[in-house]
Amino acid sequence: MSHAATLPDPARRVWLTAACTAGGAGIVATSVPFVVSMAPSERARAFGAPVEVNVGPIKPGELQTVEWRGKPVWVLRRTTYMLESLRSHDDLLSDPRSGRLGQQPVYARNDLRSVKPDIAVLVAICTHLGCIPTFRPEPGAADIGASWPGGFYCPCHGSKFDLAGRVFKNVPAPSNLEVPPHHYSGESTLLIGAGPGA
Ligand code: FES
């Protein structure tokens, strides 16, 4: 089965593009590690088995992309500065308190939308029409705007999400990025696809 076989058409198209260009100057910046080969087996993964990620080597500010159920999932280790910035722009967001149910498990329905404060786990598919946003952590990026606190920018139609995946106001995307079920089976062992106690 293709990695993109389970995606809706727009997401499949962009995910395939990302897969084709990941080794060069593609959608994801070249400084961002792109991890597509993870345990368990391809077959088990196709049926939705949890994906194990060792978050230990991920440095503060670094983002890795892994695959779960044919979807790209970001694992971002947020810096102290990033965490503080997330507390300062609620007024710019459409759903700062994760009021829209279904976009995150109940245990990630908190200020940082995460299990561990510094580790964000987000499905990397725009909630507008399924493009893959780009990682734009630089505050005040000239091409996005002076009020930009850093986050994820969707190049297809300009939707913006902060570093917790919360959508900004006045963009096409209707909701926050999805937080997939996940938990930690050890200090640095992240399991994507199953919640605590699964
Ligand atoms: S698909 Fe992301 S803004 Fe339209």
Side-chain angles (χ1 to χ4, degrees):
M1 174 185 289
S2 161
H3 294 162
T6 57
L7 292 172
D9 285 344
R12 181 183 306 143
R13 182 173 63 250
V14 178
W15 175 227
L16 287 171
T17 303
C20 291
T21 59
I27 290 176
V28 180
T30 53
S31 60
V32 176
F34 191 87
V35 181
V36 296
S37 179
M38 305 295 296
S41 71
E42 188 78 19
R43 180 177 172 81
R45 199 166 49 187
F47 284 95
V51 172
E52 185 177 301
V53 181
N54 178 11
V55 301
I58 303 176
K59 298 180 177 65
E62 188 174 281
L63 178 108
Q64 287 196 352
T65 305
V66 301
E67 179 195 347
W68 170 66
R69 291 188 175 178
K71 303 176 185 177
V73 174
W74 289 318
V75 181
L76 168 66
R77 186 182 293 278
R78 295 174 289 208
T79 64
T80 301
Y81 177 86
M82 290 173 168
L83 292 172
E84 288 173 357
S85 80
L86 287 170
R87 306 188 193 284
S88 64
H89 55 254
D90 279 11
D91 55 324
L92 301 178
L93 305 172
S94 286
D95 185 12
R97 300 284 170 221
S98 297
R100 182 163 178 167
L101 305 180
Q103 291 306 107
Q104 61 283 308
V106 290
Y107 48 83
R109 197 169 172 229
N110 51 51
D111 287 352
L112 299 171
R113 303 186 76 228
S114 61
V115 175
K116 291 193 175 192
D118 59 333
I119 302 288
V121 184
L122 299 165
V123 175
I125 296 176
C126 181
T127 54
H128 180 220
L129 292 176
C131 289
I132 298 178
T134 52
F135 179 42
R136 298 294 307 273
E138 65 277 22
D143 60 328
I144 303 179
S147 63
W148 178 242
F152 303 96
Y153 178 79
C154 184
C156 288
H157 313 98
S159 288
K160 297 181 282 187
F161 306 87
D162 73 2
L163 292 165
R166 298 178 297 179
V167 68
F168 283 76
K169 293 176 180 172
N170 304 316
V171 301
S175 57
N176 296 340
L177 296 176
E178 179 187 354
V179 177
H182 66 282
H183 71 283
Y184 295 84
S185 62
E187 180 61 28
S188 298
T189 306
L190 167 66
L191 284 173
I192 300 173

